[in-house]
Amino acid sequence: MMKKYKPITQKDIADALGLSISTVSRVLNNVYGIGDTTKKLVLDYAKETEYAPNPIALRLKKCRSFSIGVVVPEVASSYFSEVINGIESSAYRKGYHVIVTQTHESTRREMINIQQLVYQSIDGILVSLSSETVDISHFKALKEKGTPLVFFDRVPKDMDVTKIAVNNFQGAFEATEYLIRSGHKKIAHLTSCANLMITDERLNGYKAALSKYYVQFNANYFYCCESHGNVNFEVEKAVIHFMSLRERPEAILTVGDKVSVSCIKALNKFGFKIPHDISLVAFANITEADMFKTPLTTVSQPAFEIGKLAADKLIKQIEDKLACTEFETSILTTSFDRRSSAKLNLIR
Amino acid sequence: MMKKYKPITQKDIADALGLSISTVSRVLNNVYGIGDTTKKLVLDYAKETEYAPNPIALRLKKCRSFSIGVVVPEVASSYFSEVINGIESSAYRKGYHVIVTQTHESTRREMINIQQLVYQSIDGILVSLSSETVDISHFKALKEKGTPLVFFDRVPKDMDVTKIAVNNFQGAFEATEYLIRSGHKKIAHLTSCANLMITDERLNGYKAALSKYYVQFNANYFYCCESHGNVNFEVEKAVIHFMSLRERPEAILTVGDKVSVSCIKALNKFGFKIPHDISLVAFANITEADMFKTPLTTVSQPAFEIGKLAADKLIKQIEDKLACTEFETSILTTSFDRRSSAKLNLIR
DNA sequence: CTGTTAGCGCTTTCAG
DNA sequence: CTGAAAGCGCTAACAG
């Protein structure tokens, strides 16, 4: 039989010292009004026996766990793993533990994870939506129940809640403008996650830049990957589509880590040289972007900062006594890293 | 005041139906011997009200949580994030939740995380040692207490426990042999994590290949990064060291994801061309290896498989009634992906 | 200043 | 077949 480790409890201390459990509890919780003698006695014995409170019992009692749940699509991503580091750095400092769960872009998994976290008496939840998710009623329900909740990056459209995001419109606008100003006119936009608001925002930024320079939006130059499966395959289809167009695009603005990487792979596979045959700018966080065959020009997000801020906001919400009724949206700025994947046809 | 969500309990059901809590419990747990009428009554009501058992209460009661803890150095790593996916895929299928924690290579964090996991009534723990860790008594204590425990990749040297690893010796041997057979004689070895057994094993594989081809081991060609801090900086120092040697090495065998990437960056920074000026083979899992300026030849590990296997072994250990006294070590094989970062000087 | 008691949600004897 | 009661470890009134 598996012997389970049985840590020392308050009862053990009480018995050993001939005190009552409540006295022990009070000492350990440093409650006002205990005799110095007993106090010392208990404290010493506790230290000696390496007493540590049982967090499970605490949770059951207080419905509070000093831990926060994180729900992300995927952990195997430069972006999300950096965000997680940011979350941890802040949470850890404030005495919270972090429980990370992945949805793998599935709404079902998202719901299960949320459900689980709630039942684990988690104090609050940090979410970046799965791409499959359209109906966000499970989050609305959560909010109704009073669970502190903060969204980041992939935030919901119509929900009044604390959100952390970047200036997606602006980021895409700048990238597109850069492409135009360096001489490209036929600029394709390759994206995914049709359901997500960030996808729209970026598309709008792209369109706005186009229209600022009187470039007509061409529906043939827009492709949105389903991505509920093999991204590589979808992206290859997109690349084939673009590159077999009569009016082949001169540049592509890709969105998303995976899509961007897949796009480069597909381009390589079909023998297109970057930027000779086609220019590329990626709205993505790719740590190794400068090591690629053609160092990749990117629009990237301050992932660590986002995580940190999200955790800060969440913990503030958790610790504020009053039910939170004001929800702010924080917008951080993206950074544009010009490398060499976009050809400088003619710089004006 | 923050209103906490109050899920429906067995008591609620009992009250509503005029039954006793124990009857409800029995129905819900499908215990032998309940009237079909009451059974149906309870079941229907439970479904209707979306009753779900409170896992915290279950943990407190049973000291069992159906969740397993994972302790890794870092989540922002292709290798570890893939391992985590493997763990999840297996755990999830068997009804376990996965709690991931990071040590950031700190022994202190490692101990805290372990401690926390244990107190969370975790059913078992999966560990890959932090590089700082030399003393593994905290793990030995864990084992004594009967906590199911499985190590992977960075496994401890002298501890009788279940381990999952790869043939590190063999992997390094093959890489070195490949380098030698493609005409390199002066082969440097750049590594980190001096404390880890895998570091030794790989070093030994490297040395063995050298000696097989009568190449003398040269201590100047070996550099082990401290890595408790800025890896980039350490690696730059190493590169400067190697490249300013009178007898400059013709190739480097790097070990580790971060070190390998940093090495390429440093080489780029100082203007050395790969493989023209120096050849490179990396013992690392780098998903974008084939997209680099010079596609990187690598020895890589089946990360997903490792995670899956580790979780399987752990869950088996958890579910086996008897205390586990036999500990197996599973050795998976690395794969060698020949790309173009090693020059083919003369192939014999 | 300290002890008694009840209860968080659940399982599990022990009675009936 | 079902109910009462104890207990997992802890906190928090309520008494003394």
Side-chain angles (χ1 to χ4, degrees):
Chain A
M1 188 57 193
M2 186 103 268
K3 73 179 145 151
K4 272 285 176 186
Y5 175 50
K6 196 56 187 45
I8 185 164
T9 72
Q10 291 187 358
K11 183 171 189 315
D12 296 333
I13 301 183
D15 289 352
L17 266 38
L19 293 168
S20 81
I21 301 183
S22 37
T23 305
V24 175
S25 171
R26 273 187 280 250
V27 173
L28 263 13
N29 288 20
N30 206 18
V31 176
Y32 177 77
I34 318 102
D36 282 349
T37 342
T38 12
K39 192 164 180 173
K40 186 163 170 16
L41 199 64
V42 172
L43 250 24
D44 285 351
Y45 189 81
K47 175 161 286 174
E48 189 187 321
T49 54
E50 290 186 316
Y51 166 81
N54 180 329
I56 306 298
L58 285 179
R59 283 197 204 197
L60 184 58
K61 186 76 208 183
K62 302 223 191 162
C63 292
R64 182 104 160 64
S65 61
F66 275 101
S67 55
I68 62 187
V70 179
V71 180
V72 290
E74 213 78 48
V75 114
S77 131
S78 320
Y79 176 70
F80 287 116
S81 51
E82 263 303 289
V83 172
I84 291 169
N85 283 343
I87 293 171
E88 265 204 343
S89 86
S90 162
Y92 188 72
R93 187 165 325 116
K94 299 186 180 173
Y96 286 78
H97 287 95
V98 177
I99 298 183
V100 179
T101 65
Q102 310 185 66
T103 63
H104 297 288
E105 309 287 12
S106 142
T107 304
R108 210 179 74 82
R109 284 294 289 266
E110 190 172 270
M111 294 173 70
I112 293 176
N113 291 354
I114 292 288
Q115 172 71 256
Q116 271 301 324
L117 290 173
V118 169
Y119 274 114
Q120 303 291 341
S121 297
I122 226 80
D123 293 345
I125 301 185
L126 250 24
V127 186
S128 196
L129 289 172
S130 111
S131 68
E132 200 197 340
T133 300
V134 288
D135 178 10
I136 55 165
S137 49
H138 47 302
F139 290 112
K140 290 189 171 159
L142 250 197
K143 187 189 154 196
E144 287 312 308
K145 291 169 192 162
T147 309
L149 189 59
V150 171
F151 286 89
F152 64 90
D153 188 49
R154 297 164 168 210
V155 303
K157 204 174 316 203
D158 30 50
M159 183 170 170
D160 200 21
V161 69
T162 305
K163 306 171 187 178
I164 319 281
V166 292
N167 53 347
N168 287 299
F169 178 94
Q170 184 67 12
F173 183 91
E174 279 172 15
T176 311
E177 184 170 47
Y178 168 76
L179 247 11
I180 296 176
R181 296 180 72 147
S182 46
H184 305 81
K185 285 227 176 285
K186 297 175 231 162
I187 302 170
H189 185 41
L190 175 58
T191 187
S192 65
C193 307
N195 293 332
L196 264 27
M197 191 169 81
I198 55 171
T199 305
D200 287 348
E201 291 175 349
R202 291 168 188 179
L203 174 59
N204 290 338
Y206 158 81
K207 283 181 174 170
L210 250 36
S211 102
K212 172 173 175 192
Y213 291 91
Y214 309 107
V215 179
Q216 185 72 39
F217 170 74
N218 179 345
N220 274 326
Y221 288 169
F222 176 72
Y223 194 107
C224 182
C225 299
E226 299 295 340
S227 99
H228 302 318
N230 194 334
V231 183
N232 269 321
F233 181 70
E234 266 284 326
V235 171
E236 280 189 13
K237 267 174 52 184
V239 167
I240 292 173
H241 161 75
F242 286 147
M243 301 311 271
S244 44
L245 247 27
R246 176 110 49 88
E247 297 252 351
R248 192 181 270 183
E250 303 155 337
I252 309 180
L253 171 63
T254 59
V255 156
D257 295 10
K258 280 191 178 174
V259 167
S260 303
V261 168
S262 294
C263 182
I264 298 178
K265 288 193 176 169
L267 253 10
N268 284 345
K269 176 170 171 183
F270 299 129
F272 296 107
K273 301 283 177 234
I274 307 169
H276 180 269
D277 299 320
I278 189 150
S279 293
L280 209 64
V281 172
F283 197 133
N285 278 46
I286 298 177
T287 30
E288 275 100 29
D290 58 337
M291 304 179 55
F292 287 175
K293 180 164 3 180
T294 310
L296 183 63
T297 295
T298 57
V299 176
S300 64
Q301 304 192 36
F304 190 91
E305 283 309 312
I306 290 175
K308 208 159 134 18
L309 186 60
D312 285 343
K313 296 269 184 205
L314 183 69
I315 293 174
K316 187 169 174 310
Q317 227 179 95
I318 292 170
E319 296 183 346
D320 276 2
K321 301 285 170 280
L322 320 87
C324 196
T325 49
E326 304 213 345
F327 304 101
E328 349 150 38
T329 296
S330 315
I331 303 291
L332 309 195
T333 63
T334 50
S335 63
F336 186 73
D337 292 296
R338 183 186 306 196
R339 285 184 273 253
S340 45
S341 59
K343 184 153 61 172
L344 305 182
N345 291 327
L346 53 136
I347 299 180
R348 293 194 262 190
Chain B
M1 188 58 193
M2 186 104 267
K3 76 180 144 154
K4 272 285 174 188
Y5 175 50
K6 197 54 187 41
I8 184 163
T9 72
Q10 290 187 358
K11 183 170 188 316
D12 296 333
I13 301 184
D15 288 352
L17 266 39
L19 293 168
S20 80
I21 301 182
S22 34
T23 305
V24 174
S25 171
R26 272 187 280 251
V27 173
L28 263 14
N29 289 16
N30 206 19
V31 176
Y32 178 76
I34 317 101
D36 282 349
T37 342
T38 12
K39 192 164 181 173
K40 185 161 169 19
L41 199 64
V42 171
L43 250 25
D44 285 351
Y45 190 82
K47 175 161 287 173
E48 189 188 321
T49 54
E50 290 186 315
Y51 167 81
N54 179 330
I56 306 297
L58 285 180
R59 283 198 204 195
L60 184 58
K61 187 77 207 179
K62 302 221 187 164
C63 291
R64 183 107 159 61
S65 62
F66 276 101
S67 56
I68 63 187
V70 179
V71 181
V72 290
E74 213 78 47
V75 115
S77 131
S78 321
Y79 176 70
F80 287 116
S81 52
E82 263 303 289
V83 171
I84 290 169
N85 283 342
I87 292 170
E88 264 203 346
S89 86
S90 163
Y92 188 71
R93 187 165 324 116
K94 299 187 179 171
Y96 285 78
H97 287 95
V98 177
I99 297 183
V100 179
T101 65
Q102 309 185 67
T103 64
H104 297 288
E105 307 287 12
S106 142
T107 304
R108 209 178 76 83
R109 285 294 288 265
E110 190 172 88
M111 294 173 70
I112 293 177
N113 291 354
I114 293 289
Q115 172 71 256
Q116 272 300 324
L117 290 173
V118 169
Y119 273 114
Q120 303 291 341
S121 298
I122 225 80
D123 293 344
I125 301 186
L126 251 24
V127 186
S128 196
L129 289 172
S130 111
S131 68
E132 200 196 341
T133 300
V134 289
D135 179 11
I136 55 165
S137 49
H138 48 301
F139 290 111
K140 291 189 170 158
L142 249 198
K143 187 189 153 194
E144 287 313 307
K145 291 169 192 163
T147 309
L149 189 59
V150 170
F151 286 89
F152 63 90
D153 188 49
R154 298 164 168 208
V155 304
K157 203 175 315 205
D158 30 49
M159 183 171 170
D160 201 21
V161 68
T162 305
K163 306 171 188 177
I164 320 281
V166 292
N167 53 348
N168 287 299
F169 178 94
Q170 184 67 11
F173 182 92
E174 279 172 15
T176 312
E177 184 170 48
Y178 168 76
L179 247 10
I180 296 175
R181 296 180 72 147
S182 45
H184 305 80
K185 286 227 176 287
K186 296 176 233 162
I187 302 171
H189 184 41
L190 175 59
T191 187
S192 65
C193 306
N195 291 332
L196 264 27
M197 191 169 81
I198 56 172
T199 305
D200 287 347
E201 291 176 350
R202 292 167 187 181
L203 174 58
N204 289 338
Y206 158 81
K207 283 181 174 170
L210 249 36
S211 102
K212 173 173 173 191
Y213 291 91
Y214 309 106
V215 179
Q216 186 71 40
F217 170 74
N218 179 343
N220 274 327
Y221 289 169
F222 176 72
Y223 194 106
C224 183
C225 299
E226 299 295 339
S227 96
H228 302 318
N230 193 335
V231 183
N232 271 320
F233 181 70
E234 265 284 324
V235 171
E236 280 188 13
K237 268 174 52 184
V239 167
I240 291 172
H241 161 75
F242 285 148
M243 301 311 271
S244 45
L245 247 29
R246 177 112 47 88
E247 298 252 349
R248 193 182 269 184
E250 302 155 338
I252 309 180
L253 171 62
T254 59
V255 156
D257 295 12
K258 281 191 179 176
V259 167
S260 303
V261 169
S262 294
C263 183
I264 298 178
K265 288 193 176 170
L267 253 10
N268 284 344
K269 177 171 171 182
F270 299 129
F272 296 107
K273 300 283 179 234
I274 307 169
H276 180 269
D277 300 319
I278 187 146
S279 292
L280 209 64
V281 172
F283 198 132
N285 278 45
I286 299 176
T287 30
E288 275 100 28
D290 58 336
M291 303 179 56
F292 287 177
K293 182 166 0 183
T294 311
L296 182 64
T297 295
T298 57
V299 176
S300 64
Q301 305 192 37
F304 190 92
E305 283 307 312
I306 290 175
K308 210 160 135 11
L309 186 60
D312 285 343
K313 297 270 183 203
L314 183 70
I315 293 173
K316 189 170 172 309
Q317 227 179 94
I318 291 170
E319 296 184 346
D320 277 2
K321 301 285 170 280
L322 320 88
C324 196
T325 48
E326 304 212 346
F327 305 100
E328 348 149 38
T329 296
S330 314
I331 303 291
L332 308 195
T333 64
T334 50
S335 64
F336 186 73
D337 292 297
R338 183 185 308 197
R339 285 183 272 252
S340 44
S341 60
K343 184 153 61 174
L344 305 183
N345 292 327
L346 53 136
I347 300 179
R348 294 194 259 191

